[in-house]
Amino acid sequence: SRLGLPLLGYLQKLPGGEKKGFHSELAFFNDSQSLFAESIRTVRTGVLMSALDTPHKIVVVTSSVPGEGKTTVSFNLACAMAQVKNTLLIDADMRRPKIGKLLGRDGGAPGLSSLVSGTAQAAQCIFQDSKSGAYFMTAGAVPPNPLELLTSKRFIEVLEKLKDKEALREKLLTC
């Protein structure tokens, strides 16, 4: 209400923590009948219905402070979105990336930083998770200048190219 924006959904605080072997990022699949999973589906529907005439190509998940659940929300929402349409989750957390670790990817694997810097192609940076069907791009190597990377013209160009579904499909199929 402070921002004057519509509410897409309400997500419950999840119990546990990584120290106990619980990964909130996997909550959507660990119990697809849970209240949390249903809440994620409600947010998904809110995103899809909020732009019927001009569907969203990019959804940004952000917050003002660390630890508020950006990774949990974005990962679970990407998995839910992948059930109804092709979805690519890009881990743009250049300070504490987590998506790669969560999916068992090597920390040195090419990702967003590699694509933006021009040291890798999209097909090298994007992979599909067999369980969710979603596509993922990890952050890649943490650059010395994360803010400069994310505010560069090259980053905007990369996002524009990734929004083009046909061009993206062609790049992935030719790898």
Side-chain angles (χ1 to χ4, degrees):
S1 67
R2 289 181 187 166
L3 297 175
L5 298 172
L7 181 67
L8 294 176
Y10 175 80
L11 299 175
Q12 304 75 10
K13 184 174 182 172
L14 294 170
E18 286 183 36
K19 293 178 182 150
K20 297 178 184 176
F22 178 81
H23 291 282
S24 58
E25 297 84 5
L26 302 174
F28 184 78
F29 283 111
N30 287 343
D31 185 0
S32 64
Q33 301 304 311
S34 70
L35 185 58
F36 181 80
E38 183 58 33
S39 297
I40 287 290
R41 285 189 287 273
T42 299
V43 172
R44 174 190 67 195
T45 300
V47 169
L48 293 172
M49 299 300 285
S50 68
L52 289 175
D53 294 332
T54 53
H56 298 294
K57 298 262 185 178
I58 296 176
V59 175
V60 177
V61 176
T62 188
S63 72
S64 57
V65 295
E68 285 190 319
K70 295 175 289 292
T71 302
T72 297
V73 171
S74 60
F75 188 86
N76 284 284
L77 183 57
C79 293
M81 291 290 279
Q83 292 180 333
V84 295
K85 63 189 312 181
N86 284 332
T87 302
L88 169 64
L89 175 62
I90 301 171
D91 187 354
D93 186 341
M94 293 292 165
R95 297 189 198 287
R96 290 183 297 166
K98 195 171 180 184
I99 298 295
K101 270 190 248 179
L102 183 66
L103 294 168
R105 297 290 282 192
D106 175 23
L112 179 61
S113 61
S114 313
L115 189 58
V116 173
S117 67
T119 60
Q121 300 297 314
Q124 297 171 287
C125 302
I126 297 171
F127 62 96
Q128 188 174 26
D129 174 55
S130 59
K131 185 173 183 181
S132 68
Y135 291 90
F136 292 92
M137 180 186 302
T138 65
V142 177
N145 52 356
L147 185 60
E148 289 177 27
L149 185 111
L150 295 175
T151 58
S152 69
K153 280 185 181 180
R154 178 82 175 120
F155 176 69
I156 293 168
E157 290 169 3
V158 164
L159 287 181
E160 288 300 317
K161 287 179 183 174
L162 291 173
K163 283 189 335 186
D164 182 357
K165 187 172 28 173
E166 292 308 314
L168 181 59
R169 173 181 276 192
E170 193 173 297
K171 287 177 186 172
L172 292 176
L173 292 176
T174 58
C175 64

